[in-house]
Amino acid sequence: MDNYLLKTITCPICNNKLNYDSNLKELICNIDFLAYPVKNGIPILIDTKARKILTDHKE
Ligand SMILES: [Zn+2]
């Protein structure tokens, strides 16, 4: 995925930056704990399509 595009993508709920997980091919919102899927290089920024994630560890 395009790096510039990744940097400009924000969460539709909280408007914060999303972190791209290249392994899972998901865009992660660390504030809402949601993972948005990326299909064929196109991020699906729809909250009903997002997956709830659990983050019990911090870096
Ligand atoms: Zn968010």
Side-chain angles (χ1 to χ4, degrees):
M1 243 174 104
D2 188 346
N3 261 351
Y4 176 77
L5 189 68
L6 286 178
K7 281 177 188 162
T8 59
I9 292 175
T10 54
C11 175
I13 299 169
C14 66
N15 275 326
N16 264 285
K17 280 186 189 166
L18 298 170
N19 295 313
Y20 183 57
D21 188 317
S22 52
N23 292 321
L24 295 170
K25 297 202 167 44
E26 290 176 329
L27 284 158
I28 311 294
C29 176
N30 289 318
I31 291 158
D32 299 310
F33 300 110
L34 289 174
Y36 297 94
V38 178
K39 297 234 168 109
N40 301 321
I42 300 161
I44 315 293
L45 298 178
I46 303 165
D47 57 348
T48 53
K49 299 272 187 196
R51 181 172 69 83
K52 265 275 185 215
I53 53 168
L54 291 172
T55 53
D56 37 28
H57 63 89
K58 278 193 169 182
E59 283 179 42

